[in-house]
Amino acid sequence: SGSMHGDSIVQAKEAIQFALRRLRPQDRFNIVRFASDNSALFERARPAGAANLARAKRFVDRLRADGGTEIAAVLRRVLDGRVELPRLRQIILVTDGSVGNEAALFRRIRRGIGDSRLLTIGIGSAPNSYFMRKSAALGRGTFTHIRDPRDVAAVMQRLLLKLEYPVLTGITAQYDGAALP
């Protein structure tokens, strides 16, 4: 959106390019640009092969800061309840979160998150941290803040390591009639 003008759009593009470089061939991805409207790189997530990654790099390079921050429409688009088993669908929202309709957006996230995870990356010196933190919490994800353009690589490295190497996976619990406290 227009509020991302200057360092913020540069940081956002660098963060996305960093994430693209970390994708492995077995990973699937998509990028959805949003401002006053939104558009997706692909109709559906695609494998992270060389041709798709090159196309994604060009898509990100063309991103510009203009228009409004219409997050509701993009949330409708990406929080569609789609399940992509056996994969965990992780949605990463990169924005300054300059919105005024937070309550409606929180309802949208609650209704549409399904089995997906929503992670938020706040860009710039003063993102809407309340919106970003609560959105991530509702999406069973995390909030990350990139304050300074010099911090993009380090912050993205920490976030992506968490996504690439989860602490626990495939956890099941069985109780043999024992009462829980």
Side-chain angles (χ1 to χ4, degrees):
S1 64
S3 64
M4 296 276 293
H5 187 72
D7 281 346
S8 292
I9 191 67
V10 172
Q11 286 174 253
K13 290 164 68 168
E14 286 178 15
I16 296 166
Q17 295 287 15
F18 188 94
L20 289 171
R21 288 190 299 272
R22 295 289 293 259
L23 292 174
R24 300 164 299 183
Q26 66 268 28
D27 293 330
R28 298 176 58 78
F29 77 102
N30 199 359
I31 301 171
V32 180
R33 175 208 57 82
F34 68 96
S36 297
D37 62 348
N38 65 76
S39 61
L41 173 60
F42 305 117
E43 184 63 31
R44 288 205 169 282
R46 296 238 182 121
N52 288 336
L53 289 170
R55 193 168 162 195
K57 182 183 181 329
R58 289 189 302 273
F59 184 85
V60 173
D61 286 343
R62 290 190 304 266
L63 293 175
R64 300 289 175 257
D66 61 3
T69 309
E70 295 296 328
I71 293 179
V74 78
L75 288 177
R76 255 190 315 279
R77 182 180 196 138
V78 301
L79 297 178
D80 57 5
R82 187 178 320 152
V83 176
E84 297 188 13
L85 293 175
R87 293 176 166 82
L88 171 61
R89 188 167 179 242
Q90 300 182 90
I91 301 163
I92 303 174
L93 176 66
V94 181
T95 182
D96 61 1
S98 182
V99 297
N101 56 338
E102 294 159 340
L105 295 173
F106 296 149
R107 284 191 300 275
R108 167 73 51 203
I109 293 166
R110 272 190 211 99
R111 280 194 311 262
I113 194 66
D115 289 332
S116 299
R117 299 290 181 268
L118 176 65
L119 300 97
T120 60
I121 299 176
I123 296 293
S125 60
N128 181 342
S129 293
Y130 169 73
F131 169 72
M132 304 294 281
R133 284 182 199 285
K134 184 154 183 174
S135 294
L138 292 169
R140 297 179 310 279
T142 60
F143 166 66
T144 303
H145 183 189
I146 302 176
R147 291 174 176 77
D148 187 292
R150 295 174 299 219
D151 296 337
V152 172
V155 171
M156 289 302 294
Q157 173 80 9
R158 283 191 303 272
L159 174 64
L160 295 173
L161 279 172
K162 288 179 192 175
L163 298 179
E164 293 166 354
Y165 300 102
V167 175
L168 300 170
T169 60
I171 302 300
T172 59
Q174 184 175 6
Y175 301 97
D176 295 324
L180 297 175

